[in-house]
Amino acid sequence: MGMAVHCNSAPLSCKTWRNRGPTLLPARLCSLPQTPFSFRSDALKLSTCRWDKVASAVASEESAVGSSSSGTDVFNLTYLEGNSWLWDISGVRVLVDPILVGNLDFGIPWLYDAAKKFLKNFELTDLPQVDCLLITQSLDDHCHLKTLKPLSEMSPNLRVIATPNAKPLLDPLFRNESEVEAENGSKVRIQATAGPVLGPPWQRPENGYLVISPQGQLTLYYEPHCVYNKDFLEKEHADIVITPVIKQLLPNFTLVSGQEDAVQLAKLLHAKFIVPMKNGDLDSKGFLASIIQGEGTIESFKELLSKELPDAKTLEPTPGEPLHIPPP
């Protein structure tokens, strides 16, 4: 469906990574009306690379999504339940892991079938114009094809940043028909980090992300399983951390971490604001739903956090309502 996307002159590194390091695969460079997108890395050597169709990952240790906005940086974070978000970063709108069409059932509804509790009538057509689609993982609760197929019909040229594991799913859906150009000006930088391994131990990890606002006044970290590479993140910081805080457990297996792990994540990144996700808080049924157990509460998380990071604030999002976070 898509034309080849070229990055013959853009300063990108086309390295790959191994083990559990951050994703370092090529990303799409884009320019948009009013909110131009571009990706660059000042720290890495220039490389010439070419790839087809949708870009599958953040490009380098410091990739960037450009914004023409100026002034004070602001994050407006709208929680769409589950793992889904709409972020407005000083005018750049990023749609994250959207599930907006039908239920979440992984194609096997007898095993698991979940619906949203609050935003039952929220649809794709209710979204504002979106500048970028951000995908953290390749499974259906993040890369939801029932949502992404109609989204691609509405916006076939939508810019995509995703885990490389989702590339086979996204390539048939999205395309970019223009030459890619690097843009000057302020930038919303998006940096990939290593997330969980969802499969055999030799499989490539999924993605977390660090998102830096245009003026560099705010940095956000997001990974929806509270699984992270400590050695990598200890070199970073984030003013805002979006993370699950309530664990989701199967017998002898942790699906989603939280509680003390979320506290240590916030401490590691010197977070000022923690935005707790309730990604297990869905109307669910099926065998799998019957054996998943939650552990901890937001209140127990706050108590743990107060001992380790007493100055940090926990900001609970209300589904469908923007959570406004200016620079501290």
Side-chain angles (χ1 to χ4, degrees), residues 82-244:
N83 297 305
S84 304
W85 293 85
L86 177 64
W87 300 338
D88 186 316
I89 310 161
S90 298
V92 176
R93 295 191 184 101
V94 180
L95 182 63
V96 184
D97 290 350
I99 299 178
L100 297 173
V101 178
N103 285 5
L104 170 64
D105 61 18
F106 300 92
I108 41 175
W110 62 268
L111 184 63
Y112 185 83
D113 188 1
K116 295 183 178 182
K117 288 186 174 182
F118 304 103
L119 303 179
K120 297 179 182 293
N121 299 318
F122 192 93
E123 300 177 351
L124 276 175
T125 53
D126 295 320
L127 288 172
Q129 180 179 346
V130 174
D131 299 314
C132 180
L133 173 66
L134 190 68
I135 300 293
T136 60
Q137 300 182 16
S138 56
L139 295 184
D140 206 36
D141 54 335
H142 305 271
C143 189
H144 189 243
L145 290 181
K146 285 189 286 188
T147 295
L148 297 180
K149 285 179 180 178
L151 177 62
S152 71
E153 294 169 1
M154 292 169 54
S155 304
N157 298 321
L158 181 63
R159 279 64 180 168
V160 180
I161 300 172
T163 167
N165 298 334
K167 179 176 168 58
L169 301 172
L170 295 171
D171 269 354
L173 301 181
F174 296 94
R175 65 177 184 265
N176 182 6
E177 295 184 349
S178 61
E179 287 282 320
V180 175
E181 298 179 5
E183 297 285 341
N184 294 325
S186 60
K187 299 202 169 42
V188 173
R189 297 189 299 277
I190 298 180
Q191 179 178 349
T193 66
V197 175
L198 303 179
W202 56 85
Q203 183 169 306
R204 173 187 288 130
E206 305 288 350
N207 278 8
Y209 295 102
L210 285 161
V211 182
I212 301 97
S213 61
Q215 308 299 321
Q217 296 170 344
L218 285 168
T219 298
L220 177 148
Y221 174 78
Y222 177 66
E223 196 291 310
H225 280 217
C226 195
V227 176
Y228 48 91
N229 184 314
K230 181 179 178 181
D231 291 339
F232 179 78
L233 288 185
E234 67 183 3
K235 305 169 188 175
E236 306 294 338
H237 88 279
D239 304 285
I240 307 163
V241 169
I242 300 177
T243 182

Side-chain angles (χ1 to χ4, degrees), residues 246-321:
I246 299 171
K247 295 183 179 181
Q248 298 176 53
L249 307 174
L250 285 171
N252 302 314
F253 184 76
T254 300
L255 280 176
V256 175
S257 193
Q259 293 295 291
E260 66 278 0
D261 293 324
V263 170
Q264 291 307 310
L265 172 63
K267 186 177 179 181
L268 185 68
L269 290 169
H270 308 285
K272 299 179 177 67
F273 305 105
I274 294 86
V275 181
M277 295 174 62
K278 295 182 179 180
N279 46 2
D281 190 21
L282 300 169
D283 285 329
S284 58
K285 59 185 178 180
F287 174 73
L288 188 61
S290 70
I291 62 173
I292 295 175
Q293 299 294 321
E295 181 180 294
T297 64
I298 291 180
E299 291 306 315
S300 63
F301 166 77
K302 289 180 179 178
E303 185 176 347
L304 292 170
L305 183 68
S306 66
K307 298 175 182 177
E308 296 286 343
L309 209 61
D311 294 332
K313 297 180 181 179
T314 302
L315 304 177
E316 297 183 46
T318 299
E321 297 183 9

